[in-house]
């Protein structure tokens, strides 16, 4: 199941990996920025010599490039902008063209138009199989089953294709038709479906022995808060005595979402605060007194627990409301803001650093768990999870004695 979740995050998040984002609806106005020619970008930051060099490159391409007739001006302009932002040297600051912006926004919302099936690819054979079929999805209605092997999408053979490219074929406009061909029990089957909006599953729950609830969050999208709230409520109804939150391999996501979730967990006080480049405090998220989780709590993390996952982990650790177990987290303590541009493209820019309730900035360092425990390499057992369950059981036993 872990491999499936990792693959899904790769598909949906792409370049957003580890991003802690805030959204700005207003248009970004860059004073003095003009685009001339095919590949030259003129601002006060670009010297005349650079502009001349760009013109020379453009001339050489026009005269000598083997495929110059196939070059599209808009592609050159987009790549010029991408290169300009990449010149900042910050891997989290990125320019997205119009199509990429649509995909980016869809991924952070946790909703997309598709068939509602989770797929995975064998890295050796490249065979793509259905790993999960969402309830009430077009895939379920068409009779798709776990284990089906994808052969074609709309009569296009997908054998040997990259999974990301196949997912692009499967996704499309809401209410549009799609035909998927699969292999099951050695036979080929065609299934016709109508794409609809599908909500990404970012939370999964399970009740373990001794009343210990297990809640895994794979990423913090817009849909995650309601899924978390519903999952927590469901576990409470099942008689949960303690809670284990699994944030291993969670790359992060939306700042507001993780703060909404922490508002359900923490006592009244600061959840996280941010500072801009001038060290001015620009945003403080707080928790109210009304909701808080008071039962034994453990949080699992590892080196791929980043950004919003670290906001969650840092707040729980600072308040002392739970035990952090696992390995050092990723160490991303900065925030990106998405600025909408006038043509439907956008700029994602690092604009602030964040601090835990006690004022820790963990960027480049990560968070050290209360109990440092490497995961066993045999893959047969989950010693970190077992340790978390043991910690919660111990806390429950202590409560009973008191």
């Amino acid at each position: 199941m872990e491999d499936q979740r990792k693959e899904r995050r790769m598909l949906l998040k792409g370049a957003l990996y580890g991003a802690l984002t805030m959204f700005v609806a207003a248009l970004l106005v860059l004073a003095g920025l003009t685009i001339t020619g095919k590949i030259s970008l003129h601002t006060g930051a670009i010297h005349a010599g650079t502009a001349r060099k760009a013109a020379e490159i453009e001339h050489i391409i026009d005269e000598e490039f083997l495929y110059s007739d196939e070059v599209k001006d808009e592609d050159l302009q987009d790549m010029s902008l991408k290169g300009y932002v990449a010149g900042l040297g910050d891997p989290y600051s990125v320019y997205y063209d119009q199509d990429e912006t649509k995909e980016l926004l869809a991924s952070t919302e946790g909703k997309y138009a598709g068939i509602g099936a989770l797929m995975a690819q064998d890295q050796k054979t490249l065979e793509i199989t259905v790993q999960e079929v969402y309830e009430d999805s077009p895939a379920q209605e068409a009779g798709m089953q776990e284990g089906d092997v994808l052969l074609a999408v709309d009569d296009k053979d997908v054998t040997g294709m990259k999974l990301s490219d196949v997912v692009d074929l499967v996704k499309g406009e809401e209410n549009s038709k799609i035909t998927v061909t699969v292999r099951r029990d050695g036979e080929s089957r065609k299934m016709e479906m109508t794409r609809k909006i599908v909500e990404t599953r970012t939370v999964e729950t399970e009740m373990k022995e001794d009343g210990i609830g297990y809640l895994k969050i794979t990423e913090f999208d817009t849909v995650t808060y309601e899924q978390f709230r519903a999952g927590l409520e469901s576990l409470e109804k099942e008689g949960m005595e303690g809670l284990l939150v699994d944030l291993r391999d969670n790359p992060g996501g939306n700042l507001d979402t993780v703060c909404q979730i922490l508002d359900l967990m923490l006592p009244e006080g600061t959840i996280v605060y941010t500072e801009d480049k001038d060290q001015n405090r620009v945003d403080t998220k707080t928790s109210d007194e009304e909701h808080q989780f008071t039962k034994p709590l453990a949080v699992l993390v590892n080196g791929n627990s980043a950004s919003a996952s670290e906001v969650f982990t840092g707040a729980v650790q600072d308040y002392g409301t739970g035990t952090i177990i696992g390995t050092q987290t990723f160490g991303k303590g900065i925030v990106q803001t998405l600025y909408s541009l006038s043509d439907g493209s956008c700029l994602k820019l690092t604009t602030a650093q964040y601090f835990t309730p006690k004022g820790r900035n963990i960027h480049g360092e990560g968070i050290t768990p209360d109990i440092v425990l490497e995961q066993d390499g045999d893959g047969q057992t989950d010693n970190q999870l077992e340790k978390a369950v043991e910690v919660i059981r111990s806390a429950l036993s202590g409560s009973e004695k008191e």
Side-chain angles (χ1 to χ4, degrees):
M1 194 62 177
E2 286 300 306
D3 291 340
Q4 300 164 21
R5 296 297 181 187
K6 291 178 185 177
E7 185 65 42
R8 179 165 61 80
R9 287 198 298 278
M10 178 191 75
L11 294 171
L12 296 179
K13 305 308 283 186
L16 253 190
Y17 181 88
L20 182 64
T21 54
M22 297 187 295
F23 298 86
V24 173
L27 297 180
L28 175 68
V29 179
L30 294 179
L33 185 150
T34 58
I35 301 176
T36 64
K38 291 182 179 177
I39 58 175
S40 57
L41 178 65
H42 296 271
T43 73
I46 295 183
H47 298 290
T50 303
R52 286 194 296 271
K53 187 185 297 183
E56 291 177 26
I57 292 173
E58 180 181 333
H59 177 73
I60 294 171
I61 290 173
D62 284 343
E63 294 295 322
E64 305 295 340
F65 183 50
L66 181 61
Y67 307 109
S68 60
D69 292 342
E70 301 175 16
V71 174
K72 297 180 180 179
D73 289 352
E74 58 267 29
D75 290 342
L76 292 176
Q77 295 291 1
D78 281 335
M79 291 307 296
S80 296
L81 293 166
K82 286 182 181 293
Y84 186 67
V85 177
L88 298 174
D90 174 23
Y92 301 107
S93 293
V94 183
Y95 165 77
Y96 295 94
D97 64 27
Q98 295 176 0
D99 291 337
E100 291 168 338
T101 297
K102 290 178 182 178
E103 179 68 19
L104 176 68
L105 296 178
S107 69
T108 55
E109 288 176 358
K111 296 180 180 180
Y112 62 95
I115 65 172
L118 181 65
M119 304 173 190
Q121 184 169 42
D122 187 294
Q123 297 305 305
K124 293 182 179 179
T125 65
L126 300 182
E127 188 174 76
I128 297 173
T129 58
V130 176
Q131 298 295 306
E132 182 181 353
V133 178
Y134 295 168
E135 188 175 349
D136 298 324
S137 66
Q140 186 186 60
E141 293 169 1
M144 184 173 281
Q145 298 179 7
E146 294 181 16
D148 285 351
V149 178
L150 245 64
L151 300 178
V153 176
D154 285 335
D155 295 324
K156 181 178 178 61
D157 186 358
V158 299
T159 306
M161 287 180 61
K162 290 179 6 182
L163 181 56
S164 57
D165 292 335
V166 175
V167 170
D168 286 340
L169 290 176
V170 172
K171 292 194 293 185
E173 295 293 326
E174 184 180 6
N175 296 322
S176 60
K177 302 290 185 181
I178 180 175
T179 300
V180 178
T181 305
V182 302
R183 185 178 69 245
R184 184 190 306 165
D185 299 328
E187 296 182 357
S188 176
R189 300 168 182 249
K190 276 192 175 183
M191 302 177 183
E192 294 185 356
M193 311 176 200
T194 300
R195 296 181 179 94
K196 73 176 186 179
I197 298 300
V198 177
E199 187 174 287
T200 305
R201 304 286 178 81
T202 61
V203 174
E204 60 182 73
T205 60
E206 177 186 346
M207 181 61 76
K208 297 189 177 295
E209 295 180 358
D210 301 326
I212 298 176
Y214 173 84
L215 195 154
K216 182 172 180 61
I217 309 175
T218 58
E219 60 203 18
F220 291 95
D221 294 335
T222 305
V223 299
T224 305
Y225 170 72
E226 282 301 328
Q227 292 179 6
F228 179 91
R229 186 194 59 75
L232 192 63
E233 185 177 298
S234 175
L235 290 171
E236 291 279 14
K237 289 180 178 178
E238 292 182 56
M240 175 176 62
E241 298 293 333
L243 177 65
L244 195 171
V245 176
D246 192 345
L247 297 179
R248 291 176 295 180
D249 299 315
N250 182 320
N254 188 285
L255 177 61
D256 287 336
T257 298
V258 68
C259 289
Q260 284 179 309
I261 289 173
L262 284 168
D263 187 26
L264 298 176
M265 305 295 290
L266 299 178
E268 183 177 12
T270 297
I271 295 174
V272 66
Y273 67 91
T274 63
E275 290 184 356
D276 64 15
K277 65 179 182 179
D278 298 318
Q279 286 76 56
N280 297 315
R281 187 178 291 205
V282 293
D283 194 20
T284 302
K285 306 291 185 181
T286 59
S287 174
D288 60 32
E289 182 66 24
E290 183 180 359
H291 305 99
Q292 51 186 295
F293 190 82
T294 58
K295 296 175 181 179
L297 171 68
V299 180
L300 287 173
V301 296
N302 62 11
N304 292 323
S305 303
S307 196
S309 293
E310 293 171 297
V311 171
F312 187 105
T313 304
V316 169
Q317 191 174 60
D318 278 7
Y319 277 99
T321 56
T323 304
I324 313 302
I325 301 168
T327 55
Q328 195 82 0
T329 62
F330 184 81
K332 183 177 181 294
I334 52 178
V335 181
Q336 284 68 50
T337 302
L338 289 180
Y339 295 94
S340 298
L341 305 179
S342 58
D343 66 345
S345 58
C346 78
L347 172 68
K348 184 179 73 174
L349 190 68
T350 298
T351 55
Q353 54 186 338
Y354 74 78
F355 296 82
T356 70
K358 288 187 176 180
R360 293 185 291 163
N361 177 252
I362 52 84
H363 192 63
E365 298 182 7
I367 296 173
T368 303
D370 301 313
I371 300 176
V372 177
L373 181 64
E374 295 284 345
Q375 191 163 27
D376 285 342
D378 59 11
Q380 301 300 313
T381 59
D382 190 339
N383 62 311
Q384 292 175 331
L385 188 147
E386 290 174 353
K387 182 64 177 179
V389 169
E390 177 188 321
V391 167
I392 295 175
R393 280 179 180 154
S394 177
L396 288 172
S397 298
S399 299
E400 290 173 0
K401 291 177 181 178
E402 293 175 3

